[in-house]
Each structure stands twice: as C-alpha cells, then as structure tokens.
Amino acid sequence: MTSQPNTGSDPAAQDMSPEEIQAVIDRILAKDVPARNVSTPRGEGSGNGKAVLGKAQAISRLDEEHSTYDGDQQDLEERRALRRRAGLSTELEDVTEVEYRQLRLERVVLAGLWSDGTLADAENSLRELAALAETAGSEVLDGLVQRRAKPDPGTFLGSGKALELKDIVMSTGADTVVVDAELAPSQRRGLEDIVKVKVIDRTALILDIFAQHAKSREGKAQVELAQLEYLLPRLRGWGESMSRQAGGQVGGAAAGMGSRGPGETKIELDRRRIRTRMAKLRREIAAMKPARETKRANRRRNEVPSVAIAGYTNAGKSSLLNRLTDAGVLVENALFATLDPTVRKAETADGLGYTLADTVGFVRSLPTQLVEAFRSTLEEVADSDLILHVVDASHPDPEGQIAAVRKVFSEVDARKVPEIIVLNKADAADPFVIERLKQREPRHVVVSARTGEGIAELLKAISDAIPRPGVKLELLIPYDRGDLLSKLHESDAEIINLEHVEEGTKAVVMVREGLAAELEPFTLND
C-alpha cells in the first residue's frame, strides 16, 4: 500500500493533476508559460467560489487572422508597433539615482459574482473580462467567481472572499484587481482597503480600451465625455489642506470678512472643471453631428438604401465589410478593435446601389455612458433600412450575445428596423450550435468572412430585403436628353426593357418617387 502525499489542509490541491499544479507554480513565478485551460475549484463543496483560468478567447494565431480581402492592414501595423511586450525588464540597477520603479505590463486578477444563470454563464462572462483585460494591454494571472445572491454593499465580494482574493493577489504578484461589474465608489474603496492594490471595474476597463482605439476627432471626444461622466462621482478628496481661501487680506487675518472658513476645496474645483469640460465636449459633438446628418440626408434624398452591419464585439463585422466591399478597414482579433463607423458603397447583382456601414461593436452590460456618448454614431443603425446582425457562431454563448445586442438596439430605437441574423465564423463553429441558432432565428444566413462560405447567399438576402424602386413607368426619352437615360442606368432605378425607336428611346423602368416626378413629362399615355 503506497502512502498518499501530504497536501495540507487545502482540498483543492488533492483534485489537481501534477500538470495543473506545475502551471500554477509557473504562473506564480511569472514565467512566460501560457495558462492552461483548466477550472480549479476553490473552497469546500459549498460552491462559494471558483477560480477560472485559461487564455482569453480574443487572442488567436495571427497567421489565421486575415484574408486577402482585408487589404494591407496598415492601421493594424501602426497599432501593434506601439503595443507593450511582456518579459522586457526595465528594473533600475542603481535605485539611489532615481525613484525605484518597475515598468511592466499590468498583472491582473479577475473577480466576479455568480448571482443568476448557470456557472457556465458566469465563467463565460469572466473569460470575456479576461479578453477585455488582454485587449487593454494587461496580463491575466487568475480569476475568481463567488456564488452570491447579491453583491456585498461594502466590498462587493463579501469580507471573507475579499480576504481570499487578497491572498491570491499576494501569491501571484498582481498589481490590479478587475471586477466583472460596475462598482459603486464605496465598494471600490472598501475592496481596495482589503486587497491593498488598485481595483477597477468592468466599465473603467471598457472605457480604457475605447480611449486606446479611438482615432477620429469625434470618436476621441465621445470617449472623453464618457470617461468624465464615469469619473465625476468617483473623485476622491484629500482633506481640508487642499481647500482654497476666499477674499482679500484684512488686518492680520489673511482673509476677507465673511470668508474666514475654508473656501472651495480642491475636489470641488475638480468637479467644476470636469463639468465645464463635459459641457464643452457636448457642444463639440453636437457641432460634428450636422456633417454626418448631411451625408445621411444626401442618401435619403437620393433614396439610396442603407444597410448597417451591427453585432457583438469581435463577431467579425469589419471582416465581413471587407469581404463584401474590399473596404480594407482594420481587422484585429480583439475586442472593440474598430470604433469609428465606416460607410462603403455596394451594388446588388442586378445593379441596385446601397450603402454598407460598419458600426461600433456591442458588449454585455455596455456602459450607459458609452451608449449616450456614441448615440450620434449609433443613429446610423437606427436610420438604416436593414440591419445585418453579425453573430459569432463559435462563441460559447451566442444566444447571450444576440440578447445583449438587441438590448442596445432597443436603447437606440432600432428594434423596428428589419434584421437578418448573420451567423459568422461557420468554419470554426460547432454544426449543432449553428443548427440550434437556425431553428431559433428564422431569418438567418450562415457565412464565414474568412473563407467566403455563404457570402453569395448573404448578398442575395440583402438584395431581396432592401427597399426597391416601386413606381413603374413607360417612357419615351428624346435622343437629346441623354442625361435622363444616364440616370436610369444609375443605381436608383431598375430597367425592365429598352428599345430605340425613331422618336427616341422607349423604356420600361422601375424608379423611386423622387425620380418619377422628374420623368413625368416623358411618360407615354395609354
């Protein structure tokens, strides 16, 4: 009979294989070893906590990321040229010359609550948080999920689990804790007092990613406005020593009459500056809005159908736009890679023109600040004639993604717009999952933007769904009015029949109402 090794009082260690134990040791020692996709239970059989490990799903092999339709991707090269790299130490050898600092990628530990749904839903949410953290440029070391009916009002996780989180932070050498929810200011302070490292929530993390990826002037203004709205109720003061006295000098009191108490404090000044800056940003965004509305009005005046590509972040919207129009917009296997909308012209197989607009991606629990700040951008979805709702069919919870996106559609008044579910990444998805989604969503198309599978079916579905010219006319156009015939050959009319006769060109066409009024003098009377 062989003796069992002494594993101490921790029952979790008894359930771990030697490979899993070695993976934990490597991670603690900060070796550059990929995390193993394992789930290690913590605590006893009460189900109070569960650690979630594994590489975030937003990271993939770069050689499989692009197709020939994505173009040169120069924007992506520019972005990755500035990305920080792990394992490059910048420790100072002589700490007497300057303040000692350790510059490196932020090392984070994730924490979340399992309040409703299944454990798989809670773990998928935490893995999405890990993908967000890696997109922001940090290194995810560990994750913790607690089974709890509602968050603790003081520390979010509860005092006991917060102490356990502190032990994990100390053992892994993490310098940041990311919580999978939006924390109240008091919860953030309470949790920081326990774990002794910086604590940020899901909203702050998403705002940080948006700040990194915004490139246009309007996008930067929208992100800054959302950040200031988030920051305003979370400012911290530093006591009366930062107060500002009011009034001039009177005698030896060094203050005017009626102002001998503390004046406006530093935190009050900061709040006032933030409100002033927010008001200025709102004016700037409002001033930028007419330019987009003018372009949209031109499309409406010419009655050009518009199709909006919307969906969950990292579902493949930009890849699909590149496949359909050769737009060459940035494609990166990361969350919120593209923020600024891109509009491109396209045509159906029978020559009817329409526009395709790539929009900002959505995410579960999208911060309300971002929805408000990006409302002018999201109007592109609400004002479209058709929505291509792109879904990542290879994701563990595609139904949850669909529900999250439709919730944002409701917030921007886009639920009445016709919608086609585009099940993307069919080459990597489980066929049973695709079949389940096809049964759930009757109006669907299964495609793969990377391989081109299903693109022909998608183009036909777009052609059948967009508004078409509805006025049928029989015309006789004189030969000296070639400009009218040229308009009929453009993308806002369908030519059914053309015949050249002695008096001119006889044409049977389908046109829109605006063009029908212009062509009325040339109609043939029955």
Side-chain angles (χ1 to χ4, degrees), residues 389-410:
H389 182 171
V390 184
V391 180
D392 181 0
S394 65
H395 192 271
D397 183 24
E399 290 88 353
Q401 289 192 349
I402 294 175
V405 172
R406 284 176 172 166
K407 181 180 178 181
V408 181
F409 285 168
S410 300

Side-chain angles (χ1 to χ4, degrees), residues 475-479 485 489 497-507:
L475 305 171
L476 178 60
I477 301 175
Y479 286 121
L485 192 61
H489 283 282
N497 184 39
L498 273 181
E499 182 182 355
H500 299 288
V501 296
E502 183 178 353
E503 297 82 4
T505 303
K506 294 180 66 175

Side-chain angles (χ1 to χ4, degrees), residues 284-295:
E284 290 180 358
I285 294 173
M288 299 173 197
K289 188 177 180 180
R292 181 179 290 111
E293 288 185 341
T294 300
K295 296 177 182 177

